[in-house]
């Protein structure tokens, strides 16, 4: 009789070490043992010597349902599998209404369980329609965090939350232990800058970055952390693109507050001078892609392990939303589920940073942040057997082969140094390097480990 249902042999990368010629043994969808050298017997043996074995990626910022009829959770989960993402953390700003009530949450959970190929955790939000009192039902229903914004991206769906309301929301959520993530952008300063540039006819490819100055982002980041300090909530800035943002987070951390910080892979791997000039509105994100000097500073914070986690901020806008010569008339964001892992791995390699940092930033840390670390984010015994086999290989990324809802990318033509060979979720093969091979509905909705309901 075999010791395990599945044994995988290769070079293991976990958050604290790299071990060549090692193995993991899987039983009942979980990692039951691991070791080095010759592996034990198994019903199925995967000989991946020469390949990296890493925990499945937990992508902490995904917008799969932001555009009605465009993508949806099921389609996004296929792209996730192709990118080595075994857990999508999906944002609440669905079209036409955000997830701000227990009923909306339950409907989205049903969509996950019917359509998804990988596991999914869900953010919630609060709005005027359902009131702050909806927080308790969302927490009991299993949201892994709350998302708010200091800027109105879309009336109704993605509103600005006034500071006094944000304070009350943080105060209500704080006892649960869930993080309060906030889109960090000062609204009036943004609108003033854009109005001035438009009045002067200054709307070309480079105007977006000049309109969205570091001050606009940094003031909002400080505001978020100060409200966290006042309420005791876990205050989280969701996409920091400036070195100053990391300095602010560290100030609040050193003062004893539960401040956390996230950046996105595009702010680490793209720069204004080269990529925004080349791709124009395809690189329009919020916050904007920054100059190379700022990108280099961000890597210093990654190198010293000061970032809570790195995400993709994935959204599959069609190119019809990215083709206007007026940069301000284009949608912000782009596809990223398939490029998060290979791009960040490549960046760490370029900067002489250990592959273990990839695991910390893309797997262990986001699993901890969203209180999923009892089962996700590691290759430890007892964890779900979520893992990715990575093949060392140099190639230029071609989005024409994407499994996303769109086949363009601001990473087009970038050279990566690893390729996803296969993706496994709970011991089940999901992606074989070419195709998604499991079934829609094999993915599961994930609740965070025990949290206390709010008042």
């Amino acid at each position: 009789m075999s010791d395990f249902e599945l044994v995988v042999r290769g070079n293991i990368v976990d958050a604290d070490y790299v071990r060549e010629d090692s193995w993991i043994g899987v039983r009942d969808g979980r990692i039951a043992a691991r070791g080095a050298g010759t592996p034990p017997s198994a019903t199925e043996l995967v000989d991946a010597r020469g390949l990296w074995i890493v925990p499945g990626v937990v992508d902490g910022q995904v917008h799969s349902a932001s555009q009605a009829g465009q993508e949806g959770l099921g389609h996004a989960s296929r792209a996730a599998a192709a990118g080595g993402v075994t857990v999508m953390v999906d944002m609440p700003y669905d079209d036409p209404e955000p997830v701000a009530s227990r009923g909306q949450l339950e409907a989205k959970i049903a969509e996950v369980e019917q359509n998804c190929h990988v596991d999914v955790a869900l953010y919630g939000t609060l709005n005027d329609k359902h009131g702050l009192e909806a927080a308790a039902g969302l927490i009991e229903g299993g949201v892994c965090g709350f998302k708010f914004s200091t800027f109105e991206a879309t009336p109704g769906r993605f509103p600005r939350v006034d500071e006094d309301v944000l304070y009350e929301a943080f105060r209500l959520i704080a006892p649960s232990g869930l993080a309060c993530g906030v889109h960090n952008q000062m609204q009036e300063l943004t609108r003033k800058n854009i109005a001035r540039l438009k009045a002067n006819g200054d709307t070309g490819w480079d105007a977006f970055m000049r309109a969205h100055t570091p001050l606009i982002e940094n003031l909002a980041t400080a505001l978020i952390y100060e409200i966290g300090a006042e309420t005791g909530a876990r205050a989280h800035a969701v996409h920091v693109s400036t070195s100053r943002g990391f300095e602010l987070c560290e100030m609040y951390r050193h003062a004893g507050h539960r401040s956390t910080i996230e950046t996105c892979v595009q702010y680490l791997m793209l720069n204004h001078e080269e990529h925004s000039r080349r791709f124009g509105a395809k690189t329009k994100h919020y916050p904007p892609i920054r100059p190379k000097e700022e990108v280099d500073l961000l890597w210093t914070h990654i190198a010293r392990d000061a970032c809570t986690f790195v995400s993709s901020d994935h959204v599959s806008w069609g190119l019809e939303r990215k083709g206007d010569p007026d940069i301000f008339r284009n949608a912000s964001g782009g596809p990223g589920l398939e490029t998060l892992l290979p791009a960040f791995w490549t960046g760490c390699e370029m900067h002489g940073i250990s592959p273990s940092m990839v695991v910390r930033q893309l797997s262990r840390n986001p699993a901890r942040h969203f209180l999923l670390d009892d089962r996700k984010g590691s290759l430890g015994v007892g964890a779900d057997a979520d893992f990715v086999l990575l093949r060392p290989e140099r190639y230029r990324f071609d989005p024409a082969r994407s499994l996303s809802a769109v086949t363009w990318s601001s990473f087009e033509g970038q050279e990566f140094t690893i390729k996803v060979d296969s993706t496994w979720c709970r011991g089940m093969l999901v992606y074989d390097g070419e195709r998604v091979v499991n079934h829609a509905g094999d993915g599961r909705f994930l609740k965070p480990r025990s949290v206390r309901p709010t008042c």
Side-chain angles (χ1 to χ4, degrees):
M1 183 176 177
S2 299
D3 296 325
F4 303 99
E5 296 159 7
L6 170 69
V7 165
V8 183
R9 184 178 188 181
N11 301 324
I12 291 178
V13 183
D14 218 331
D16 299 312
Y17 61 81
V18 177
R19 290 180 183 159
E20 296 187 359
D21 195 17
S22 297
W23 55 266
I24 55 172
V26 177
R27 187 183 300 120
D28 297 327
R30 296 197 191 189
I31 295 174
R34 58 187 182 181
T38 303
S41 63
T43 303
E44 180 182 3
L45 173 65
V46 175
D47 189 345
R49 280 176 287 184
L51 275 62
W52 302 106
I53 307 171
V54 302
V57 170
V58 179
D59 189 345
Q61 189 172 177
V62 178
H63 298 262
S64 73
S66 294
Q67 185 176 194
Q70 178 67 34
E71 184 171 53
L73 282 160
H75 203 148
S77 73
R78 296 174 59 82
V85 175
T86 54
V87 177
M88 298 192 306
V89 181
D90 203 66
M91 287 292 180
Y93 297 116
D94 298 357
D95 194 351
E97 288 190 2
V99 178
S101 70
R102 180 68 175 270
Q104 290 167 315
L105 174 64
E106 290 177 350
K108 194 165 183 179
I109 292 170
E111 183 184 350
V112 169
E113 295 176 340
Q114 180 176 354
N115 297 332
C116 286
H117 294 265
V118 301
D119 292 349
V120 179
L122 297 174
Y123 264 103
T125 191
L126 301 173
N127 63 8
D128 291 340
K129 181 176 179 179
H130 298 285
L132 297 183
E133 59 270 22
L138 289 164
I139 293 168
E140 291 166 1
V143 297
C144 66
F146 283 84
K147 174 74 181 293
F148 305 99
S149 181
T150 57
F151 181 86
E152 183 175 271
T154 306
R157 183 176 70 81
F158 204 141
R160 179 186 187 276
V161 181
D162 291 337
E163 289 79 7
D164 56 341
V165 179
L166 199 59
Y167 173 91
E168 287 301 321
F170 273 42
R171 188 182 63 79
L172 277 172
I173 295 163
S176 72
L178 296 176
C180 298
V182 187
H183 175 111
N184 44 331
Q185 178 179 4
M186 298 302 287
Q187 180 159 298
E188 292 309 313
L189 281 176
T190 300
R191 290 180 171 174
K192 279 184 179 179
N193 285 353
I194 292 174
R196 184 180 67 254
L197 291 169
K198 282 189 168 185
N200 294 328
D202 187 359
T203 59
W205 69 270
D206 61 335
F208 186 74
M209 186 195 73
R210 288 184 286 110
H212 295 80
T213 62
L215 183 64
I216 284 172
E217 180 182 334
N218 295 337
L219 286 175
T221 300
L223 183 150
I224 293 160
Y225 291 146
E226 186 60 26
I227 294 177
E230 288 277 342
T231 60
R234 292 174 57 206
H236 180 68
V238 300
H239 36 44
V240 172
S241 68
T242 68
S243 179
R244 179 59 180 162
F246 280 86
E247 294 171 1
L248 289 167
C249 183
E250 195 158 326
M251 286 168 53
Y252 280 88
R253 283 176 176 169
H254 284 170
H257 303 298
R258 298 190 293 170
S259 304
T260 54
I261 191 165
E262 172 186 351
T263 193
C264 305
V265 71
Q266 55 268 25
Y267 304 121
L268 297 167
M269 295 300 290
L270 305 179
N271 65 68
H272 179 74
E273 300 94 327
E274 178 183 353
H275 302 99
S276 294
R277 179 183 293 276
R278 177 184 174 191
F279 290 114
K282 287 182 180 179
T283 65
K284 181 183 175 182
H285 291 266
Y286 190 82
I289 302 301
R290 300 292 183 188
K292 187 177 185 303
E293 182 180 17
E294 192 71 45
V295 174
D296 291 341
L297 288 174
L298 289 184
W299 275 107
T300 68
H301 299 291
I302 295 294
R304 64 187 184 85
D305 212 3
C307 189
T308 306
F309 64 91
V310 175
S311 66
S312 74
D313 201 6
H314 167 91
V315 58
S316 281
W317 297 126
L319 283 177
E320 72 278 2
R321 302 289 297 269
K322 289 287 190 175
D324 199 296
D326 180 343
I327 192 68
F328 299 110
R329 298 173 72 90
N330 295 283
S332 294
L337 283 161
E338 288 163 286
T339 48
L340 172 59
L341 174 54
F344 188 61
W345 181 288
T346 300
C348 284
E349 194 171 290
M350 289 168 55
H351 289 83
I353 298 171
S354 168
S356 287
M357 184 66 76
V358 178
V359 173
R360 290 201 287 277
Q361 291 295 322
L362 301 189
S363 303
R364 186 195 68 182
N365 290 7
R368 287 180 174 178
H369 179 82
F370 294 107
L371 308 184
L372 304 173
D373 54 318
D374 55 336
R375 298 285 292 271
K376 303 295 184 181
S378 84
L379 298 176
V381 172
D384 283 353
D386 293 2
F387 60 90
V388 186
L389 301 184
L390 296 175
R391 183 177 302 279
E393 180 179 331
R394 289 189 175 273
Y395 65 101
R396 295 197 177 275
F397 180 68
D398 179 8
R401 303 185 64 191
S402 173
L403 296 189
S404 179
V406 296
T407 52
W408 67 271
S409 171
S410 53
F411 285 94
E412 180 180 354
Q414 275 223 24
E415 185 177 74
F416 295 151
T417 59
I418 55 96
K419 179 175 283 188
V420 174
D421 183 84
S422 58
T423 302
W424 304 68
C425 189
R426 287 174 277 103
M428 178 189 301
L429 179 63
V430 180
Y431 174 73
D432 68 2
E434 295 290 336
R435 307 177 320 278
V436 173
V437 297
N438 72 340
H439 299 100
D442 283 340
R444 295 178 182 172
F445 168 64
L446 302 176
K447 284 188 173 185
R449 53 182 162 80
S450 59
V451 297
R452 290 177 291 168
T454 188
C455 299

